[in-house]
Amino acid sequence: SDGSLRWLVTQQLGRFLRGSTSHVTDDNDHALWGDFLGLLSAVGYGGYAVQTRILCPHDESLYSMQLLLGYIGLTSLITLSPITLYL
């Protein structure tokens, strides 16, 4: 099962990369950059989801989910605000 999932992910990544490089022309130079940023954000969200699952206790009565999400939002706000102000 793990091997077939790995093959599926590899196959889809290959299709993604092949498709994103086939439509890059002189007029559309930013398409590949946008595809890369989309892939990077998906990987980042996957890492966040895995970290949350591993680091948070399995018993949700031991911590406040609202407080956890508030801290995540505050960290994101502080981290991403310079980028937002730049754009």
Side-chain angles (χ1 to χ4, degrees), residues 2 8 10 21 36 62:
D2 185 36
L8 179 67
T10 305
T21 57
F36 172 73
L62 297 176

Side-chain angles (χ1 to χ4, degrees), residues 46-68:
Y48 155 75
V50 169
Q51 269 189 329
T52 303
R53 178 61 66 184
I54 290 173
L55 296 177
C56 288
H58 294 292
D59 186 11
E60 291 185 12
S61 66
L62 297 176
Y63 63 95
S64 169
M65 184 58 79
Q66 288 180 330
L67 191 60
L68 174 69

Side-chain angles (χ1 to χ4, degrees), residues 8-84:
L8 179 67
V9 169
T10 305
Q11 183 181 19
Q12 293 301 322
L13 185 61
R15 286 182 184 172
F16 165 77
L17 292 175
R18 185 174 60 244
S20 65
T21 57
S22 67
H23 64 76
V24 174
T25 62
D26 292 336
D27 298 332
N28 201 5
D29 289 335
H30 298 291
L32 188 60
W33 180 244
D35 289 346
F36 172 73
L37 289 177
L39 181 64
L40 184 66
S41 67
V43 168
Y45 179 74
Y48 155 75
V50 169
Q51 269 189 329
T52 303
R53 178 61 66 184
I54 290 173
L55 296 177
C56 288
H58 294 292
D59 186 11
E60 291 185 12
S61 66
L62 297 176
Y63 63 95
S64 169
M65 184 58 79
Q66 288 180 330
L67 191 60
L68 174 69
L69 293 176
Y71 284 142
I72 291 171
L74 182 64
T75 304
S76 298
L77 178 72
I78 291 170
T79 306
L80 299 175
S81 62
I83 296 171
T84 305

Side-chain angles (χ1 to χ4, degrees), residues 1-8:
S1 172
D2 185 36
S4 63
L5 180 63
R6 188 173 298 148
W7 169 251
L8 179 67

